């Protein structure tokens, strides 16, 4: 799979964590092991949102309540170290490479819109050998609000000179879907959440793996 996403087809804007790389599941597993090693049991367990993504804010609050701010900072630093090591071993998520290849073959343009930092996102894209496939990468940072703000999606639209309705956002989280909706993009929800789980905004497609979208693009 080679080449740059410079076609004239539809703009496909993908979230990173949980869509291109399965770091959401990994992060939850790392926290479970870490708390077990520390013999620390939280009253609510690991804070996970209904979309099965890690609720970092909720977890941080629970940790502060349980062990105080100083130990929470130490635990979080240890989590980041362990999580980085685990993430560095991950390959692209299920169906990612076939989906990207299909988009390039059909002339669709690819971009990334992530609520994470640029160093994290681009280092993994480069490690996976797929960074060059994306016309632009948009991450939260100085002057760019994180999701559910629409900033990263608006940046992708500007870079591609695309109208929102000519694009498709691909997200795994409620906050990401809300960001795409705020930017005016139709969205596909990639999720293992139960069928009874409902997204916060209307979605054009709901799939369990990225390559399930091949038939609609």
């Amino acid at each position: 799979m080679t080449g740059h996403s410079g076609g004239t087809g539809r703009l496909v804007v993908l979230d990173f964590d949980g869509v291109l790389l399965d770091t959401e599941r990994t992060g939850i597993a790392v926290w479970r092991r870490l708390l077990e090693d520390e013999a620390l049991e939280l009253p609510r367990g690991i804070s996970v949102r209904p979309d099965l993504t890690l609720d970092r804010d909720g977890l941080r609050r629970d940790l502060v309540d349980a062990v105080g701010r100083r130990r929470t900072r130490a635990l979080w630093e240890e989590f980041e170290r362990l999580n980085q090591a685990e993430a560095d071993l991950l390959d692209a998520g299920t169906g990612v490479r076939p989906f990207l290849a299909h988009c390039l073959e059909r002339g669709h343009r690819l971009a990334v819109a992530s609520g994470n930092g640029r160093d994290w996102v681009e280092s993994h894209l480069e490690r996976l050998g797929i960074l060059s496939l994306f016309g632009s990468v948009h991450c939260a940072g100085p002057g760019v609000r994180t999701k559910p703000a629409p900033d990263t999606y608006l940046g992708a639209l500007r870079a591609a000179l695309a109208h929102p309705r000519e694009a498709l956002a691909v997200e795994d989280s409620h906050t990401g879907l809300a960001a795409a909706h705020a930017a005016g993009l139709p969205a596909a929800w990639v999720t293992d959440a139960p069928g009874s789980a409902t997204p916060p905004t209307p979605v054009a497609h709901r799939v369990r793996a990225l390559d399930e979208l091949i038939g609609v693009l």
Side-chain angles (χ1 to χ4, degrees):
M1 183 167 53
T2 60
H4 192 281
S5 56
T8 57
R10 193 170 187 181
L11 174 65
V12 182
V13 189
L14 300 107
D15 178 43
F16 179 74
D17 292 285
V19 172
L20 292 173
L21 199 65
D22 194 9
T23 50
E24 291 288 351
R25 198 191 313 264
T26 297
I28 293 169
V30 169
W31 267 117
R32 285 180 175 147
R33 291 199 304 270
L34 179 57
L35 295 183
E36 183 178 347
D37 291 344
E38 294 287 327
L40 179 58
E41 186 173 343
L42 299 176
R44 298 192 304 161
I46 302 295
S47 296
V48 178
R49 300 185 183 95
D51 57 17
L52 304 184
T53 62
L54 180 65
D55 182 358
R56 288 174 172 253
D57 292 338
L59 177 57
R60 194 184 300 274
R61 287 192 298 269
D62 290 345
L63 284 169
V64 169
D65 289 343
V67 300
R69 295 185 183 279
R70 179 176 296 182
R71 191 176 177 197
T72 294
R73 284 196 297 270
L75 287 169
W76 213 272
E77 288 172 0
E78 180 66 3
F79 163 75
E80 295 292 0
R81 184 186 70 80
L82 295 171
N83 191 52
Q84 179 73 66
E86 290 288 337
D88 285 345
L89 300 176
L90 294 175
D91 194 4
T94 303
V96 167
R97 295 185 188 277
F99 176 77
L100 297 180
H102 170 80
C103 286
L104 294 174
E105 290 168 3
R106 295 295 300 268
H108 299 310
R109 296 169 289 169
L110 298 170
V112 172
S114 173
N116 217 326
R118 182 170 295 276
D119 288 347
W120 169 269
V121 172
E122 290 193 341
S123 65
H124 281 298
L125 291 174
E126 186 170 11
R127 175 181 65 81
L128 295 169
I130 59 176
L131 177 59
S132 64
L133 306 183
F134 296 92
S136 60
V137 176
H138 305 269
C139 301
V144 182
R145 295 171 296 172
T146 193
K147 299 168 183 176
D151 298 28
T152 52
Y153 279 106
L154 294 175
L157 292 171
R158 286 193 297 268
L161 301 177
H163 188 277
R165 290 298 162 185
E166 299 170 350
L168 177 69
V170 184
E171 280 284 353
D172 71 311
S173 71
H174 284 188
T175 55
L177 291 172
H181 183 73
L185 282 76
W189 189 19
V190 182
T191 183
D192 286 328
S196 59
T198 57
T201 58
V203 296
H205 310 284
R206 178 172 176 163
V207 297
R208 290 190 175 274
L210 200 57
D211 56 354
E212 293 178 35
L213 290 172
I214 287 176
V216 302
L217 284 171

